């Protein structure tokens, strides 16, 4: 384990009502922090009370967006263990995002150890109700007080923890999605593969316009031809066409989703044909016209699986599986959640039991 100072809160916080957790609005008592300076490297790992911190108004992250983040979850099992899901893969991706925006590489073993110690410190905050979990948000920011454009020489890394509610407390609810034909999210050679602030800033205007038009989310098309499917706001997208799972290949402009990877590995393990390739939006509409489009769903850490009930593109709407959750999406959701909560055997080594409550 990494040797680090732990400063505990004087008065532990009151736990929120498990029925009103929602997403990302409550934070636990402590956070993990580590600093970086050129010449010194990453240093001073520590667990401290969750609190506000000082930053220069000139801090580079505020001006040029040199920022990266991750999102993953820990789960409390029925018998009181805490399971962490694929954290090592998230830390690998954090370093990949870091590389793309010139943030110095971090020691993934240190990050992993630090996370386990932080969760151990705040384990009473891991909610136990079915479907709830502890959302983990690592992030790193550039802190040089300097308003010229350059790569920063100082950074801060944080892990903050948030107990979150069941995404599907009221059952699966397929979403209606707008296929975006005006705005674009990312282009190959850009930052699309990084979990970095800029990508989300770039997505807000399209998202707001789609909401006004009555859609829950947008589905992005490629930025060059506006033809090939990319991904949804914070989810990858998968199609079931004539029994086959088809999803966009990792082409340089979409995020390498860890849930996407879990879904593909499980589908292959079940003997389902899986293809990662380019998919044109016309192809999806044609498959629907021929009665071959069986299911559409998103994949991401927050929801695991999010069924898509309707897709609209340039004013044409298709309804998928009668706007009902398909059997494959349901089975996949149940299986991934079953592994996370320790109810289904984890033959892929995705889960680590890190503490007992
Ligand atoms: C985080 C994210 C995803 C999903 O990744 P997971 O690792 O499955 O949570 C997909 N697309 C974007 C743009 C994301 O930010």
């Amino acid at each position: 384990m990494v040797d680090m100072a732990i400063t505990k809160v004087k008065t532990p916080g009151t736990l929120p009502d498990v029925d009103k957790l929602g997403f990302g609005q409550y934070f636990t008592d402590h956070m993990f922090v580590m600093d970086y300076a050129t010449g010194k490297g990453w240093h001073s790992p520590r667990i401290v009370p969750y609190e506000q911190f000082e930053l220069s108004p000139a801090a580079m992250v505020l001006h040029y967006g040199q920022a990266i983040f991750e999102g993953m979850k820990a789960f409390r099992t029925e018998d009181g263990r805490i399971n962490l899901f694929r954290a090592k893969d998230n830390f690998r991706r954090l370093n990949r995002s870091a590389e793309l925006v010139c943030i110095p590489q971090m020691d993934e073993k240190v990050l992993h150890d630090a996370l386990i110690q932080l969760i151990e410190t705040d384990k009473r905050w891991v909610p136990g109700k079915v479907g709830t979990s502890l959302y983990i948000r690592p992030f790193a920011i550039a802190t040089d007080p300097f308003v010229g454009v350059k790569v920063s020489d100082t950074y801060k890394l944080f892990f903050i923890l948030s107990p979150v509610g069941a995404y599907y407390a009221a059952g699966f609810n397929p979403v209606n999605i707008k296929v975006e034909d005006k705005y674009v999210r990312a282009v190959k050679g850009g930052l699309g593969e990084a979990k970095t602030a800029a990508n989300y800033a770039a997505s807000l205007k399209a998202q707001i316009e789609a909401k006004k038009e009555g859609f829950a989310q947008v589905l992005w098309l490629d930025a060059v031809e506006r033809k090939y499917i990319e991904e949804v706001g914070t989810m990858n997208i998968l199609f079931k066409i004539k029994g086959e799972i088809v999803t966009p290949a990792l082409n340089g402009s979409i995020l390498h989703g860890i849930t996407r990877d879990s879904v593909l590995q499980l589908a292959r393990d079940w003997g389902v044909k899986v293809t990662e390739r380019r998919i044109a939006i016309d192809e999806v509409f044609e498959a629907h016209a021929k009665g071959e489009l069986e299911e559409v769903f998103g994949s991401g850490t927050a929801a695991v699986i999010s069924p898509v009930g309707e897709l609209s593109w340039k004013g044409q709407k298709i309804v998928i599986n009668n706007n009902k959750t398909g059997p494959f999406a349901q089975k996949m959701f149940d299986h991934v959640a079953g592994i996370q909560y320790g109810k289904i055997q984890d033959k892929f080594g995705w889960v680590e039991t890190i503490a007992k409550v």
Side-chain angles (χ1 to χ4, degrees):
M1 281 286 160
V2 196
D3 194 16
M4 63 176 157
I6 301 184
T7 312
K8 293 213 175 163
V9 285
K10 292 205 180 70
T11 326
T14 311
L15 298 182
D17 179 345
V18 281
D19 293 315
K20 298 196 178 118
L21 290 172
F23 185 84
Q25 49 184 339
Y26 297 103
F27 299 96
T28 66
D29 288 330
H30 301 91
M31 62 184 180
F32 171 72
V33 190
M34 185 161 74
D35 301 303
Y36 178 92
T38 298
K40 208 169 168 190
W42 285 103
H43 64 92
S44 311
R46 58 204 184 270
I47 287 172
V48 295
Y50 177 91
E51 62 194 1
Q52 305 201 14
F53 62 93
E54 285 194 353
L55 198 60
S56 163
M60 293 192 62
V61 64
L62 302 176
H63 304 269
Y64 309 117
Q66 211 188 346
I68 53 173
F69 68 93
E70 266 305 324
M72 62 184 127
K73 280 179 169 178
F75 305 84
R76 186 193 286 213
T77 66
E78 259 172 13
D79 59 357
R81 287 170 292 142
I82 296 175
N83 280 349
L84 185 57
F85 188 70
R86 302 196 66 173
K88 289 178 181 159
D89 297 303
N90 286 89
F91 288 131
R92 193 170 314 130
R93 187 171 67 188
L94 184 69
N95 261 338
R96 169 73 180 136
S97 298
E99 188 186 333
L100 288 165
V101 299
C102 302
I103 292 178
Q105 293 290 293
M106 292 149 272
D107 182 334
E108 290 163 27
K109 174 109 183 34
V110 168
L111 300 182
H112 183 257
D113 280 5
L115 178 59
I116 290 174
Q117 291 192 54
L118 179 63
I119 295 174
E120 175 70 39
T121 308
D122 275 344
K123 63 187 178 185
R124 71 185 185 96
W125 287 85
V126 183
K129 201 174 166 192
V130 178
T132 63
S133 57
L134 185 75
Y135 183 77
I136 302 158
R137 168 53 59 88
F139 64 100
I141 54 170
T143 55
D144 274 15
F146 180 64
V147 294
V149 177
K150 64 159 188 128
V151 171
S152 184
D153 282 304
T154 57
Y155 299 87
K156 272 187 183 302
L157 167 89
F158 296 84
F159 298 166
I160 57 174
L161 308 175
S162 174
V164 298
Y167 208 86
Y168 295 115
F172 262 134
N173 193 9
V175 290
N176 63 341
I177 286 191
K178 177 186 177 184
V179 180
E180 180 57 58
D181 58 9
K182 181 168 156 202
Y183 301 106
V184 296
R185 173 187 176 271
V187 66
K188 189 175 170 184
L191 295 176
E193 279 186 4
K195 253 181 140 68
T196 187
N199 289 332
Y200 305 85
S203 72
L204 296 175
K205 198 156 191 306
Q207 179 68 32
I208 289 283
E209 287 186 16
K211 275 255 158 74
K212 269 194 209 141
E213 293 162 28
F215 300 100
Q217 300 261 2
V218 302
L219 173 62
W220 299 105
L221 296 180
D222 78 278
V224 179
E225 296 182 62
R226 314 277 168 104
K227 178 173 175 187
Y228 298 104
I229 289 166
E230 298 256 305
E231 61 177 320
V232 185
T234 56
M235 289 191 293
N236 294 105
I237 187 100
L238 301 99
F239 301 87
K240 185 158 170 276
I241 303 174
K242 279 205 291 186
E244 178 183 349
I245 297 296
V246 186
T247 193
L250 301 172
N251 59 356
S253 56
I254 67 175
L255 199 88
H256 294 211
I258 290 164
T259 316
R260 171 189 183 278
D261 181 72
S262 303
V263 168
L264 299 185
Q265 285 196 52
L266 278 168
R268 287 185 176 117
D269 188 57
W270 296 343
V272 175
K273 187 168 180 215
V274 171
T275 309
E276 296 171 69
R277 61 169 170 85
R278 275 207 315 199
I279 311 157
I281 183 65
D282 323 60
E283 181 190 335
V284 171
F285 275 65
E286 274 161 32
H288 180 265
K290 286 192 263 175
E292 293 173 355
L293 180 64
E294 293 155 2
E295 297 186 34
V296 181
F297 56 94
S299 71
T301 293
V304 182
I305 298 294
S306 179
V308 177
E310 294 176 4
L311 275 178
S312 295
W313 178 47
K314 294 184 175 168
Q316 301 174 63
K317 179 171 92 176
I318 57 174
V319 178
I320 299 126
N321 195 41
N322 273 326
N323 215 344
K324 298 259 175 347
T325 300
F328 184 87
Q330 182 72 57
K331 179 180 173 189
M332 187 56 77
F333 175 82
D334 292 343
H335 206 89
V336 175
I339 292 174
Q340 291 171 331
Y341 288 94
K343 291 190 170 168
I344 292 180
Q345 199 210 339
D346 165 32
K347 63 190 231 186
F348 300 95
W350 289 336
V351 164
E352 302 169 75
T353 295
I354 55 166
K356 268 192 88 73
V357 192

